[in-house]
């Protein structure tokens, strides 16, 4: 059974070309990604398919699940550039890459990625949820754009804004989504913003915490290490954790090293069995 990294981003050539050609944000100028929310320096070479396969080999991971991060703030035309280009990249990868669609169910894609803030209105996404549940495809919930104040440090959105979004999305799903779509597999990025530490607080408000333990709700590991992962396993068990790195936004090595540090059985569950169940 292959090993998976369920949280990677790759911009196919048509999307890179479209970003370079744009006169307004979002756009790419050399190695600087200019978004409406700010400028970010990046290594464009990380998005070359050959470099991506090499990074998987370096990590000892067989397959990367690719999504287009909602934080890119793409318009409809740019999103279509991703959809058109990524299928060609996947087809040429020899099975090493699998892609998720943006906000929709599409042929050739293994599931769907949506922005966490969209969970503020689950009814608006009802048709998408029902179709994914019918097809048995997973839903990946990823942070969306965050408007940090001008005085906020550079890390604010990633550490504060994104985790707050994910906590809110996770709570909305527990409150309203699990009853309406009980068989839909939902994977929340970055441990749902720290969901494991919220169970005791839920209990303090009279919530039966056993009621939030759902077999179809998963948490990805991106950016977290030994302490957070140990708490997650103590709270949910190893069966709900899925390895995700957020490469190339952040380095994959620290989280992967932490996952493997728990031993072969845990590593197999988090990197093999659980993601395979999502992609069955």
């Amino acid at each position: 059974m292959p090993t998976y990294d369920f949280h990677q981003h790759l911009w196919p050539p048509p999307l890179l070309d479209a970003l370079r050609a744009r006169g307004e944000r979002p756009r790419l100028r050399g190695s600087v990604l200019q978004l409406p929310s700010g400028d970010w320096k990046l290594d464009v070479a990380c998005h070359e398919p050959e470099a991506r396969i090499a990074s998987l080999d370096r990590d000892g991971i067989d397959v990367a699940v690719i999504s287009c991060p909602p934080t890119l703030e793409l318009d409809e035309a740019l999103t279509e550039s991703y959809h058109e280009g990524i299928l060609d990249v996947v087809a040429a990868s020899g099975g090493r890459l699998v892609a998720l669609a943006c906000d929709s169910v599409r042929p050739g894609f293994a599931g769907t990625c949506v922005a966490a803030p969209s969970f503020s209105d689950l009814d608006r996404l009802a048709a998408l949820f029902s179709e994914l549940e019918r097809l048995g495809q997973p839903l990946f919930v990823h942070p969306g754009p965050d408007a940090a104040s001008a005085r906020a440090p550079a890390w604010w959105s990633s550490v504060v804004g994104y985790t707050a979004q994910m906590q809110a999305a996770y709570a909305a799903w527990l409150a309203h989504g699990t009853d309406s779509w009980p068989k839909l597999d939902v994977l929340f990025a970055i441990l749902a913003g720290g969901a494991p530490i919220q169970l005791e607080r839920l209990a303090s408000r009279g919530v039966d915490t056993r009621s939030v333990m759902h077999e179809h709700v998963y948490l990805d590991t991106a950016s977290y290490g030994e302490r957070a992962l140990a708490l997650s396993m103590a709270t949910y068990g190893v069966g709900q954790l899925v390895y995700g790195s957020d490469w190339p936004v952040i380095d994959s090595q620290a989280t992967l090293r932490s996952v493997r540090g728990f031993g072969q059985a845990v590593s197999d569950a988090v990197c093999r069995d659980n993601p395979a169940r999502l992609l069955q």
Side-chain angles (χ1 to χ4, degrees):
M1 187 182 295
T3 53
Y4 294 88
D5 179 346
F6 219 102
H7 187 168
Q8 288 204 11
H9 306 301
L10 188 151
W11 307 344
L15 176 56
L16 288 169
D17 291 343
L19 286 168
R20 290 186 179 108
R22 281 177 63 92
E24 59 187 24
R25 295 168 181 255
R27 62 192 180 190
L28 188 60
R29 293 295 180 266
S31 61
V32 178
L33 177 65
Q34 299 179 339
L35 302 179
S37 57
D39 295 351
W40 308 90
K41 190 171 179 59
L42 54 88
D43 180 5
V44 180
C46 288
H47 295 281
E48 295 176 358
E50 296 80 6
R52 185 55 52 91
I53 301 302
S55 71
L56 290 174
D57 292 340
R58 176 202 67 191
D59 289 348
I61 295 292
D62 297 312
V63 180
V65 180
I66 304 297
S67 55
C68 188
T71 48
L72 280 185
E73 306 172 70
L74 303 185
D75 60 19
E76 184 175 350
L78 289 171
T79 301
E80 285 309 304
S81 296
Y82 162 77
H83 284 139
E84 293 168 6
I86 198 65
L87 286 182
D88 290 336
V89 173
V90 167
S93 72
R96 302 296 300 276
L97 303 177
V98 174
L100 304 179
C102 303
D103 302 307
S104 57
V105 173
R106 292 172 177 256
F109 290 87
T112 303
C113 176
V114 301
S118 66
F119 270 47
S120 63
D121 184 3
L122 294 183
D123 291 339
R124 187 176 65 81
L125 298 174
L128 174 62
F129 295 159
S130 296
E131 182 66 1
L132 287 168
E133 186 178 48
R134 184 185 71 81
L135 293 172
Q137 291 188 349
L139 177 69
F140 181 43
V141 187
H142 187 283
D146 179 71
S149 70
R151 297 187 61 188
W155 48 262
W156 188 268
S157 289
S158 297
V159 177
V160 179
Y162 294 169
T163 54
Q165 289 181 20
M166 295 306 302
Q167 284 190 24
Y170 175 73
W173 190 250
L174 294 182
H176 305 293
T178 53
D179 289 339
S180 298
W181 298 277
K183 300 297 184 182
L184 175 58
D185 288 323
V186 184
L187 173 63
F188 289 90
I190 60 171
L191 295 182
I197 71 169
Q198 302 302 329
L199 263 66
E200 290 169 327
R201 186 159 179 82
L202 282 168
S204 75
R205 296 301 188 268
V207 177
D208 180 1
T209 54
R210 291 173 299 178
S211 69
V212 304
M213 303 293 187
H214 294 282
E215 63 176 317
H216 294 283
V217 175
Y218 297 82
L219 309 177
D220 109 328
T221 63
S223 78
Y224 289 98
E226 180 179 347
R227 284 175 291 183
L229 298 179
L231 177 59
S232 298
M233 287 185 280
T235 304
Y236 298 98
V238 73
Q240 306 312 118
L241 279 184
V242 172
Y243 173 61
S245 69
D246 202 9
W247 176 261
V249 179
I250 58 177
D251 190 0
S252 60
Q253 295 290 293
T255 292
L256 185 56
R257 189 163 51 246
S258 294
V259 169
R260 289 172 171 163
F262 287 99
Q264 191 65 49
V266 169
S267 180
D268 283 347
V270 175
C271 298
R272 294 180 188 271
D273 303 339
N274 301 340
R277 201 158 64 245
L278 283 168
L279 294 170
Q280 60 188 348

